[in-house]
Amino acid sequence: MSPSTEHGRPEPEPTTLPANRDGRPVSDRGDTVCVIGAGASGLTAVKNLTEHGFGVDCYERETGVGGGWNWRHDRSPVYASTHLISSRPFTQFPDFPMPDSWPDYPHHSELLSYFERYADHFDLRRHIWFGTEVVRVEPVDGDRWDVTTRSTGGYGPERTSRYAAVLVANGHNWSPKLPRYDGLEEFRGEVMHSSSYKDPAQLRGKRVLVVGAGNTGCDLAVEAAQQASRCWHSTRRGYWYAPKYVLGRPADQVNDTLLSWRVPLRLRQWLYHRTLRLTVGDLTRFGLPKPDHRVYETHPIANSQLVYYVGHGEITPVPDVARFHPGGVTLTDGREIDPELVVFATGYLPRFEFLDPGLLGDADGSGRPRLWLHAFPPGHPTLAVAGLLQPDSGLFTLAHWQTVLFARSLRLRREQPQRAAAFASRAAAGAGQRYAGKVKDSSRHWFEVGHVDYLRAVQRALDELED
């Protein structure tokens, strides 16, 4: 499809550069910025970059906006009952509020309609190449980038364009993190990752083992409690479970009030423990393991129903899996169980297939980017990642301000190169800095941030750009 047909606007004639290392011609896009992905972070990036005067080409591998929140997309992790775990005011973009008539915790279908209206309101679709995947992103000529694309699925020829900057917004909840267990290959039951779970019919009438205690694992355990003939929920260690409502309000709104009052962490921890004792009491009496960390050292699990179904005997808490065998599972406490279906709700790993990992500071090959503000890689001031965060609130506001910061840093490069170079040095020095309290060192917590601390850090960076 030609750009003019797809975007509804004539495409400017590009300048043809010498062929790249593969012998293909390179189209020079001048000062245009490339955005990869048209989910929440990609859409706000397109909006903020265009508002700061930049041309934008956005490449989206699927046929619509919404990223992981679009259940039609192959890589979408959402299932039929998926709702927000952060409340509406703490999830919406700061310049595009969700309707007041919506519930506190909207359904994923409402989120998709929100993104579609956002794209239409700010006229973003004309910048997006749908059905186009990025194959490679390579640095050239200092701080410029060659971006090679093709039709999703590998059909048609590849095309390489040269951009002034690249913003990556391909999401980090689509590449499953699968555990390894002895004997798993011989297990005769059904095994799936939670990314393949879509509908309660997949659980109905079966003996189900859910492995993993994140928000998705707890949601699936609750669904299995209602649909399966038997549900075991395996967790490696204890977690803190937070109700979605406290004092009649969404829990994140109550917590944010405490943060705005600058209540010390220890006092907030005491208040949380006090509230827990007054409501559900000691969770170990239900068979749930005692947490090995203080609350807020990891983000609590937002689920109001798990304890309810555990207390009613519909969910049986069990420890970690020791090994599989053809007819069942041996747990670390020696018990044997016989699930027909095992669901691994074990999370995801970030993947940037089109980028050399070293460009994002992954020097040790662990797959963990080392970025300033979880967005800016050292040594590459025209490259950024948006949305690579696990906040204690909604993500969209944080991604909005990340992309505003990137847009303003690019504008500074154009208007005041010396100041921009000093700012880039600051970014390099801050790579890998944490924006949360003491957290567990596991891939699940790589990108955890406290949203108040994080937004204050972004504001300081914006102030530095304006000085």
Side-chain angles (χ1 to χ4, degrees), residues 14 23 35 205 321:
V35 173
V321 171

Side-chain angles (χ1 to χ4, degrees), residues 25 28 33 41 53 60 101 113 119 143 216 219 221 243 258 275 301 333 348 354 401 418 443 448 465:
D28 188 355
V33 179
S41 299
E60 168 55 55
S101 60
S113 71
D143 294 323
T216 299
D219 282 351
L258 297 176
T275 302
I301 306 301
D333 63 0
Y348 300 84
F354 42 80
W401 288 112
Q418 290 184 334
S443 60
E448 282 197 0
L465 284 179

